[in-house]
Amino acid sequence: MNPEHYYIAAGFNLFTEERELAVLFSGEGKPYPDHQMGPSVHDYYLIHTVLDGEGVFQTGNVTQSCKAGDTFVIFPGTLFSYKADHDHPWHYVWVAFQGEAVQPLLEGIGITLEHPVLHVENTSEVYTVYERLRLSFRQSAYPRLESLEASGWLRLLLHHFGLANLHTLPELPREIPEMINRQIDRAVRWITLQFHQQISIDHMASTLGYHRAHLSKAFKARTGMSPKQYLLKVRMEKAKELLCGYLTIDQVSSSVGFNDALYFSKQFRKWSGMAPSEYRSKLRQDSELL
């Protein structure tokens, strides 16, 4: 047993040559009452998430009591200290990492030297990610693969922190035209590739990080159509292509995302001015004339 902990477990990366993002080590521990680290300085980033109990974290001008769900970040080259509570010492998990991509990644989710503490509600879900990250280091014959796996789990962990920190982020970055254009491009690709599925515009909007009304407004400004109108356009144009072939009307309907062939026929008539069967007959007549 570690002389300063009731319980401690850790995994270490044997391959730390990744320049973009490399996990160094990860662990879990429950220290004794009043156990303290620092004042000290590290040359890497170190994140702790409290699972249970309490303690105090201090860095720069920040001094904060932390309890279950609180996560604190230690920045390289910055003096810090943290101490377990006397009556209810904390139980926490941690991960250390470094790399060229780290600072912009953290800043992008609202973690800075001035705001190094955040709170996550679902500690069990976050704990699972930490555990999978630590268990990536199996000390196998393939440390490079272990390192890749760990960096993937770290990115997922940062994703959780970003979601927890959304309320602290300004809305302005999401209004940058370049970002909106990228999201509209994603929506267009989504519709173009998934038109045969039962697409929910609400689901697509929430996945892209927008309210439906906001996405529809931006989408229409870019394409001249709402997402629903654009989806219908893609489906109808594809239906026209398929009606040139051997598929039945029912099969064409199903292939372009309509479960009801009668409803498909009604929509196709509105779009083209004729029923699918009429459109097909006209195509064949035109072909014979040629």
Side-chain angles (χ1 to χ4, degrees):
M1 179 182 292
N2 184 289
E4 297 179 337
H5 291 74
Y6 293 110
Y7 164 79
I8 191 168
F12 298 88
N13 192 354
L14 300 181
F15 183 88
T16 57
E17 298 176 24
E18 298 290 344
R19 296 184 61 183
E20 183 185 36
L21 180 66
V23 177
L24 302 178
F25 56 87
S26 182
E28 176 183 352
K30 185 172 183 180
Y32 287 156
D34 298 319
H35 169 263
Q36 180 168 327
M37 292 292 292
S40 185
V41 173
H42 288 329
D43 59 0
Y44 48 79
Y45 294 86
L46 180 62
I47 296 181
H48 288 69
T49 296
V50 181
L51 303 176
D52 192 20
E54 300 174 27
V56 175
F57 169 65
Q58 183 173 8
T59 185
N61 296 322
V62 176
T63 299
Q64 185 160 333
S65 297
C66 297
K67 56 184 183 303
D70 289 333
T71 294
F72 58 90
V73 182
I74 296 167
F75 286 76
T78 303
L79 190 68
F80 72 90
S81 66
Y82 54 92
K83 183 178 180 180
D85 187 72
H86 177 77
D87 297 317
H88 305 285
W90 47 20
H91 172 195
Y92 48 41
V93 281
W94 65 82
V95 59
F97 51 98
Q98 61 187 14
E100 298 171 352
V102 174
Q103 184 173 339
L105 280 174
L106 293 182
E107 289 178 354
I109 57 176
I111 298 175
T112 63
L113 280 168
E114 294 74 25
H115 301 94
V117 182
L118 61 99
H119 182 79
V120 293
E121 292 294 336
N122 194 338
T123 54
S124 61
E125 189 171 345
V126 169
Y127 173 73
T128 298
V129 179
Y130 269 108
E131 187 175 39
R132 294 297 297 271
L133 197 162
R134 175 172 59 85
L135 294 177
S136 298
F137 305 124
R138 296 176 288 274
Q139 312 302 310
S140 70
Y142 307 100
R144 183 189 295 269
L145 297 182
E146 293 180 3
S147 181
L148 283 172
E149 180 183 350
S151 63
W153 287 112
L154 175 59
R155 286 180 181 274
L156 181 57
L157 186 64
L158 295 179
H159 167 74
H160 281 288
F161 294 156
L163 291 178
N165 231 13
L166 277 179
H167 67 285
T168 69
L169 301 181
E171 285 295 319
L172 290 177
R174 286 174 32 166
E175 302 302 326
I176 298 174
E178 292 80 1
M179 180 170 289
I180 293 176
N181 285 336
R182 284 197 298 270
Q183 296 297 64
I184 298 305
D185 286 341
R186 288 182 62 192
V188 167
R189 287 197 299 272
W190 188 320
I191 291 171
T192 303
L193 295 174
Q194 298 293 318
F195 66 88
H196 57 284
Q197 302 286 349
Q198 298 304 305
I199 293 179
S200 164
I201 304 301
D202 284 332
H203 174 66
M204 182 175 69
S206 64
T207 301
L208 295 175
Y210 287 88
H211 186 276
R212 175 173 179 154
H214 192 155
L215 176 68
S216 295
K217 183 179 179 180
F219 195 98
K220 188 167 186 177
R222 174 79 175 276
T223 67
M225 291 175 278
S226 70
K228 187 175 181 179
Q229 291 169 332
Y230 190 83
L231 173 60
L232 182 62
K233 171 180 176 290
V234 171
R235 284 174 166 171
M236 294 299 102
E237 289 179 348
K238 185 63 178 179
K240 285 183 176 182
E241 292 180 24
L242 295 177
L243 287 168
C244 295
Y246 60 89
L247 297 180
T248 67
I249 302 301
D250 281 355
Q251 290 169 337
V252 171
S253 171
S254 177
S255 297
V256 296
F258 288 88
N259 294 327
D260 186 336
L262 291 177
Y263 181 68
F264 161 70
S265 296
K266 181 179 180 181
Q267 292 299 312
F268 190 87
R269 180 185 288 275
K270 284 184 179 179
W271 180 265
S272 66
M274 61 185 75
S277 56
E278 293 177 279
Y279 181 81
R280 171 170 279 172
S281 296
K282 185 176 183 304
L283 286 175
R284 289 174 178 170
Q285 289 172 5
D286 292 344
S287 178
E288 289 172 0
L289 290 176
L290 295 175

